[in-house]
Amino acid sequence: MTALEFRLIERLKQLPPGRVAEVADFVEFLAAREQRAAAIEGLRALDRRLPDDEEMPPDLAEELEEEIRRDRAERRQGNGN
């Protein structure tokens, strides 16, 4: 345990229960905010790896469109999983 963690715990022990609950709520809020920030950064990183429509090679775009058409046709025939 770090010195800071020790000091925080000692201070928490001195607080009335209502204030400890407030501290717990605040800590949960901070943790949730960090999780959201990490999730947003993960989405941004994913977005940076995906090509824009303009950057996608025409052959690849056509190949993807054809694959989608085949998949839809199979589903209409009842063969899609």
Side-chain angles (χ1 to χ4, degrees):
M1 180 180 305
T2 67
L4 176 59
E5 291 168 332
F6 181 77
R7 282 197 322 265
L8 287 171
I9 290 172
E10 289 303 310
R11 294 297 302 241
L12 278 172
K13 289 178 183 178
Q14 297 170 2
L15 293 175
R19 293 293 185 198
V20 172
E22 287 181 45
V23 171
D25 288 343
F26 184 65
V27 170
E28 290 298 322
F29 164 76
L30 291 176
R33 190 166 67 177
E34 288 298 316
Q35 288 175 334
R36 278 193 307 275
I40 289 169
E41 184 54 37
L43 290 172
R44 285 184 180 142
L46 178 63
D47 187 52
R48 285 190 294 268
R49 290 192 306 252
L50 295 174
D52 291 335
D53 288 341
E54 299 85 35
E55 296 173 358
M56 188 178 296
D59 292 346
L60 178 59
E62 290 172 18
E63 184 179 328
L64 290 173
E65 286 295 325
E66 180 57 33
E67 187 172 334
I68 290 169
R69 281 192 289 274
R70 280 194 310 267
D71 183 62
R72 287 178 178 163
E74 287 176 7
R75 288 173 190 250
R76 280 192 295 271
Q77 294 173 358
N79 296 333
N81 293 335

